[in-house]
Amino acid sequence: MRLRHRDGQTIHLGYCTNVHAGEDLPEIVGQLDTYAVSARRVLGADRLGVGLWLAAPVAAQLAADPAALAGLRRDLDARGLEVVTLNGFPYGAFHAPVVKHAVYQPDWLTGERMDYTVDLARVLAGLLPDDAARGSVSTLPLAWRTPWTARHRAAAGRRLAELADRLAAVHARTGRLIRVGFEPEPGCVMETTEQVVAGLSGIDTRYLGVCLDLAHLACGWEDPGAALARLAGAGLPVVKVQVSAALGADHPEQAATGAALRGYAEPRFLHQTRSAAGQAADDLPEALDAGFPGPWRVHYHVPLHAAPQPPLHATLDVLRGALAGLVGGDTAVCDHLEVETYTWNVLPPDQRPTGPDRLAEGIAAEVAFARDELLALGLREQPVREMIQ
């Protein structure tokens, strides 16, 4: 889905396919048919953006096989789908029964993470629509926070310099600009925008920048305007935005709120929890056991259009403040926006979709919510001229 900013830029809006479990090419194409095409039709859109998540093996396969990559491009075009961004945070097995800390491995101290990310850049260069200005790949914020020493920082710095060189080579070979955005996340080396400014000092900003996840921003209790000003002041581009909302609880010490929160404590993903006063827990069960005072924000991406049952809420105030700063002014700060609610299938049982159709409808409703927020900021829809089969 495309929108036009008042400065003339095309703003790309889509949803991230890391909500789906498939990891080989036939499964990925099947997901597009089952969910993405259905969501596009529910939206009544000529074209829908999908931020593909490709696990490392299929990314390597596509990067090495031009015919397979061209086939995927044709599959996307035939279904009225386009790809301008890839999610390169999970390396693989993102829908294993237990993911937790494994999602941060391999990290940016390893060659595996480098090769995976460059494979994604090569793939994206082949998938980008001809008229797209650039592509983006999101990745983890270097590593989980421990262990992290001066030696690790120096090694990561060398990796990022090498990454920029390899992205420049992709640019020179294909003519397509692909940028990688490091995504601050609670518990990681770079959790806050202040840490991002320190951790990415000296990078090549032609090819490297920040992926700003709005749920993570909320969990850090950061003011959106101040966070964006901090990144701009450091000269760090926001290459991608994940339009997401975290779970909020004003009074977790109250019995009803605690009981509601326990419904979100599940075994697959980490749900880092932060209080307004600075107390932190690496997962929601730990926070509940510790019982530190509220209000809390929990790293749990909740559907944008469907507020959690009171006394819980979604951090939509942070989302709206960030979008206003990103695209509400005379110049757009970022042109790649992706709805990223990967937690649909681990929501409390009474909130989970009951089948593929319901999930596709939920995805469509989230994209519609994000689109309407952008229209309220003065953007306008940009129809696709060509006929979609």
Side-chain angles (χ1 to χ4, degrees):
M1 182 175 293
R2 299 181 179 195
L3 299 100
R4 180 73 71 178
H5 192 271
R6 62 176 60 88
D7 67 2
Q9 285 192 71
T10 295
I11 306 298
H12 297 269
L13 173 65
Y15 87 95
C16 184
T17 66
N18 65 354
V19 65
H20 310 310
E23 297 194 16
D24 64 30
L25 198 52
E27 288 175 331
I28 290 165
V29 175
Q31 291 166 359
L32 299 178
D33 285 328
T34 302
Y35 301 106
V37 172
S38 296
R40 179 178 67 76
R41 289 172 177 160
V42 171
L43 286 161
D46 292 331
R47 187 166 292 268
L48 178 63
V50 287
L52 287 180
W53 172 60
L54 303 174
V58 73
Q61 172 194 351
L62 288 167
D65 187 343
L69 182 57
L72 179 57
R73 171 72 180 269
R74 289 193 297 271
D75 287 338
L76 290 161
D77 289 343
R79 289 161 174 79
L81 306 173
E82 69 176 15
V83 175
V84 301
T85 188
L86 300 178
N87 188 323
F89 198 128
Y91 188 82
F94 191 54
H95 289 266
V98 178
V99 178
K100 300 292 184 181
H101 291 86
V103 76
Y104 307 109
Q105 295 295 331
D107 62 26
W108 273 102
L109 299 176
T110 69
E112 291 89 347
R113 176 61 63 173
M114 173 72 73
D115 291 342
Y116 172 48
T117 307
V118 175
D119 281 344
L120 291 175
R122 293 170 62 195
V123 169
L124 184 54
L127 296 180
L128 275 181
D130 293 341
D131 59 350
R134 58 192 145 253
S136 61
V137 177
S138 50
T139 188
L140 70 159
L142 301 182
W144 187 251
R145 69 180 182 277
T146 56
W148 194 257
T149 66
R151 178 174 61 84
H152 294 129
R153 285 195 297 273
R158 292 190 293 271
R159 293 283 185 194
L160 299 195
E162 179 187 350
L163 174 61
D165 288 343
R166 295 180 69 176
L167 293 172
V170 172
H171 192 186
R173 184 171 62 253
T174 66
R176 308 313 303 265
L177 171 62
I178 310 297
R179 301 189 294 177
V180 171
F182 295 83
E183 180 184 334
E185 175 164 311
C188 293
V189 170
M190 297 187 297
E191 173 168 345
T192 65
T193 52
E194 184 175 356
Q195 291 169 334
V196 167
V197 167
L200 297 184
S201 175
I203 63 168
D204 185 339
T205 55
R206 292 173 298 174
Y207 297 103
L208 307 180
V210 179
C211 170
L212 197 62
D213 185 301
L214 304 187
H216 301 177
L217 189 71
C219 289
W221 291 90
E222 294 199 65
D223 174 77
L228 290 171
R230 184 175 296 113
L231 296 175
L236 291 174
V238 179
V239 305
K240 175 177 178 177
V241 174
Q242 287 174 329
V243 184
S244 56
L247 184 66
D250 291 335
H251 301 288
E253 72 282 357
Q254 295 180 356
T257 306
L261 285 167
R262 288 190 185 279
Y264 288 83
E266 54 82 27
R268 181 175 296 166
F269 301 118
L270 275 184
H271 299 297
Q272 302 94 315
T273 303
R274 301 291 186 263
S275 78
Q279 292 102 331
D282 285 340
D283 208 353
L284 179 56
E286 297 173 25
L288 290 165
D289 291 344
F292 49 78
W296 292 0
R297 289 175 179 170
V298 183
H299 176 215
Y300 198 121
H301 291 205
V302 294
L304 302 182
H305 67 291
Q309 292 296 312
L312 305 180
H313 64 271
T315 57
L316 294 179
D317 55 339
V318 175
L319 181 151
R320 291 186 171 110
L323 289 181
L326 288 159
V327 297
D330 291 335
T331 302
V333 174
C334 181
D335 57 351
H336 290 179
L337 278 62
E338 173 186 86
V339 173
E340 198 221 13
T341 305
Y342 57 86
T343 48
W344 277 97
N345 293 317
V346 297
L347 287 168
D350 63 341
Q351 298 176 43
R352 293 177 196 169
T354 55
D357 289 346
R358 300 288 84 78
L359 178 54
E361 289 169 3
I363 290 168
E366 286 202 286
V367 174
F369 177 96
R371 176 201 61 200
D372 292 347
E373 292 291 324
L374 297 173
L375 294 176
L377 291 170
L379 281 71
R380 59 181 179 84
E381 291 192 69
Q382 178 181 325
V384 176
R385 297 289 192 270
E386 65 267 23
M387 179 68 67
I388 303 300
Q389 299 298 321

